[in-house]
Amino acid sequence: MAEHDELFDYLRSTDTVHIVTTTRDGRTIPTPIWAVAVDDAIYVRSAYGPDAKWYRRATTNGGVAFDTPAGARAVAIEAPNDAGLEARIDDALQEKYAAEPASVAEMLTPLARGTTQRVTPVS
């Protein structure tokens, strides 16, 4: 994702963003989550692990987007395959959300780390 991309800038700079996932019957559901930038990419995690409803819908049903001030923006998500990246994502979460240490601690557990997804805009 290019650094100049509006979605990248929005997700990087906004504390709580809304991921929009699609149910099996086609309904869309916005869920507030956190997003962080590492290098030239955006990453999200589920603090509640793989059983969180938004995470299950996003990884099984497709149809993922983010609500932005300019409207919904479709994205694809995929698990990164760079083991060294997790520590950098941890650092980014700790820096961006330093005012919420208890919530950050939930995002740093092995369960949450296992749900890390890279966000890629869909044209």
Side-chain angles (χ1 to χ4, degrees):
M1 182 179 313
E3 192 166 342
H4 64 275
D5 181 272
E6 288 177 23
L7 179 62
F8 180 95
D9 291 341
Y10 175 75
L11 295 176
R12 178 183 49 79
S13 64
T14 304
D15 284 342
T16 302
V17 297
H18 287 84
I19 191 167
V20 180
T21 54
T22 305
T23 63
R24 288 184 199 154
D25 65 5
R27 291 179 299 121
T28 57
I29 300 174
T31 304
I33 65 169
W34 289 351
V36 293
V38 174
D39 300 329
D40 286 333
I42 296 291
Y43 296 91
V44 297
R45 284 185 182 163
S46 169
Y48 304 109
D51 292 333
K53 289 180 181 180
W54 78 262
Y55 181 81
R56 287 194 328 250
R57 288 189 301 267
T59 57
T60 60
N61 298 344
V64 180
F66 280 92
D67 276 339
T68 73
R73 180 84 184 267
V75 299
I77 61 169
E78 66 178 337
N81 56 0
D82 178 355
L85 184 62
E86 292 294 348
R88 293 183 8 240
I89 294 170
D90 290 351
D91 292 344
L93 285 162
Q94 290 172 315
E95 182 178 330
K96 184 174 180 181
Y97 300 104
E100 301 184 52
S103 296
V104 169
E106 290 181 32
M107 297 294 281
L108 305 180
T109 67
L111 189 66
R113 284 176 121 206
T115 65
T116 301
Q117 298 288 305
R118 180 181 174 136
V119 175
T120 305
V122 175
S123 298

